[in-house]
Structures are given as C-alpha cells and as structure tokens.
Amino acid sequence: MNQIDLKIERKISKGKNITLTVYQNGKVILKHPARISKIQLDSFLAEKHNWILNKLNKLPKNIPKSLKFMEGESLPIFGEILPIFLNEKNTILLPDRGFYVRHEKNDLIRLKKAKSYLKSILLEKINPLVHKYESNLNTKVKKLTIRTMRSLWGSCNSKNYISINLSLIHCPDFIIEYIVLHEIAHTIQHNHSQKFWNIVKSQNPNYKVAEKWLKDTGKTYIYYLN
C-alpha cells in the first residue's frame, strides 16, 4: 500500500511545520505550508507510512462514516435515528418519518444544502438557550457561529465569539443545552479553572452526566458531517 491508497487529504496551513492527523473516522489530514516542495511532502509521508497504518488499525470500529446524504443512509437528529430519503421538492425534517433531502445532480450541492438545513434547525434550538444563559449569567455572546469541527463540540475566544459544532444536531437536548452553557460560561472564565466549573454547576448541578456522555458516546456522533 502506498500513500495514495491511504487517501490522504492535503490542506494548506499558516503554520511553518508539516502536521499529520489521523481522525477516529479514518480521515488522514496532512497540513503543510504553501511553500513546500512535493519531494519534501512525499518524503515526510513515506517516513510516516507505518505510523499511519498503525493508527488506522487501532481505530474503533463503531465510528460512523461521513454522510453523503443518499437514500438508504440514516443519521441521528436530536438523539433519534432517522432514515434519509431523497426528495424532488424541498429539504425537510419530519421527526416521525425521516430527513428528506432535495435531490441534486451535483453531490456537493446536495451535501451543502443538507448541512445548511441542519444548521438552521440547530440554530432554532440553540438561540433560546443562548438568551437564557446570557440572562442567567449576566454576560453577552458577541457572535455565534455554527460550523463543522472534527474534535471540538464548541469553542469561545477572547472576544466572546462562540462557535458551535454542527454535529451537535445529532445529540439529545440535554447535551445541546450543556454545550451552550459550557461555552457561555467561557465568556466569563476563559479557562477550565474551578471558578469556571462553579459557573457551570450553578446552572447545571448534574453537568458531569453530560460530560460522561460526551466522553463515552460523543465520539460516535461527531463524525457524520466530517
């Protein structure tokens, strides 16, 4: 097997170093500076060949593959597994029946529109939670973004810009509410100090139940859209 067989995805990065990551869903991502020769990259991959294979062989077997939003696939939405159907009209979620995705001749357009719809229904659920915890904690989220992330459920930067992983769409309500609370607590404490956890606990005394779910089960939910 050579490096082409490994289906390595290459991305340009702003960093100065070459990095290689094997994700739990089997994706292998190579990040490198723009100005680096193909010979250097091929040499780097040749050195890492056995390391990559070893990582892939140790991956859990229950990690879902990335969705193509095709007939016959299924996905969890708010904790309930629903079948995917192609639809000649609009993309729509029918909670008791399934997720109907508008048929598109172009696979990328179908994928983009399906994700856009999921983003809209996740935002509807998240917005009231954001307002709730902003009020309860007397803080303010300056910007809210929903996007796909491979390893984080959410993040908050020093400007109080919050990003939420679109994969949260798969999770039950108590997890969604916990992640929103967690990130809003970071607008007050930008760390994981005891002060931070005290803020979280003041709003959710049983937050460790959600933490355990994310650790034990979350990995089977985070890769459908990556």
Side-chain angles (χ1 to χ4, degrees):
M1 182 181 291
N2 57 39
Q3 57 228 41
I4 296 176
D5 294 327
L6 289 173
K7 297 180 180 178
I8 295 170
E9 185 178 334
R10 301 187 181 194
K11 293 186 176 182
I12 304 297
S13 70
K14 295 180 180 180
K16 297 180 180 180
N17 299 320
I18 305 172
T19 63
L20 190 62
T21 306
V22 178
Y23 291 93
Q24 290 201 2
N25 65 344
K27 277 198 173 184
V28 183
I29 308 294
L30 175 73
K31 293 183 180 181
H32 59 86
R35 295 183 178 181
I36 193 167
S37 70
K38 183 177 182 300
I39 293 175
Q40 284 179 281
L41 289 177
D42 288 345
S43 175
F44 177 85
L45 289 174
E47 289 179 8
K48 294 291 186 179
H49 183 77
N50 289 337
W51 178 86
I52 297 171
L53 291 180
N54 186 50
K55 286 283 188 180
L56 290 173
N57 288 332
K58 291 181 178 179
L59 291 178
K61 304 303 180 186
N62 62 338
I63 301 299
K65 298 298 181 183
S66 298
L67 286 171
K68 297 180 179 178
F69 290 97
M70 293 292 292
E71 197 91 32
E73 292 182 323
S74 61
L75 80 164
I77 296 183
F78 302 140
E80 180 183 359
I81 302 293
L82 295 175
I84 294 174
F85 301 103
L86 293 184
N87 181 23
E88 293 302 325
K89 297 182 180 180
N90 295 326
T91 295
I92 187 169
L93 171 66
L94 299 177
D96 297 328
R97 297 174 60 183
F99 183 39
Y100 291 77
V101 178
R102 178 180 168 84
H103 178 69
E104 302 284 353
K105 292 182 180 179
N106 185 296
D107 291 345
L108 291 178
I109 292 176
R110 185 180 65 253
L111 185 66
K112 182 178 180 180
K113 289 188 174 181
K115 286 185 176 182
S116 178
Y117 181 87
L118 293 176
K119 179 179 177 179
S120 69
I121 61 174
L122 179 59
L123 197 57
E124 286 181 8
K125 187 176 285 284
I126 283 177
N127 274 333
L129 297 172
V130 171
H131 298 323
K132 170 185 172 180
Y133 289 119
E134 281 181 325
S135 176
N136 287 1
L137 297 172
N138 192 28
T139 187
K140 186 66 178 176
V141 175
K142 298 292 182 62
K143 184 179 180 180
L144 175 65
T145 303
I146 297 178
R147 61 188 180 91
T148 54
M149 292 184 269
R150 287 194 172 95
S151 58
L152 298 175
W153 288 102
S155 65
C156 176
N157 69 15
S158 60
K159 296 181 180 180
N160 289 356
Y161 290 4
I162 285 180
S163 290
I164 297 293
N165 194 334
L166 179 56
S167 294
L168 208 59
I169 189 76
H170 307 310
C171 300
D173 286 353
F174 81 100
I175 295 297
I176 296 172
E177 182 155 4
Y178 169 68
I179 293 297
V180 172
L181 166 60
H182 187 109
E183 299 309 328
I184 291 180
H186 276 311
T187 66
I188 303 170
Q189 286 289 324
H190 292 277
N191 51 52
H192 286 109
S193 65
Q194 190 56 52
K195 288 182 179 179
F196 167 81
W197 291 113
N198 288 343
I199 293 169
V200 173
K201 189 175 181 179
S202 74
Q203 303 298 308
N204 182 356
N206 297 316
Y207 74 90
K208 289 185 179 180
V209 175
E211 282 280 316
K212 187 175 188 306
W213 187 96
L214 289 167
K215 181 179 179 180
D216 296 343
T217 308
K219 65 183 179 182
T220 63
Y221 283 71
I222 203 169
Y223 290 111
Y224 283 99
L225 302 176
N226 287 290

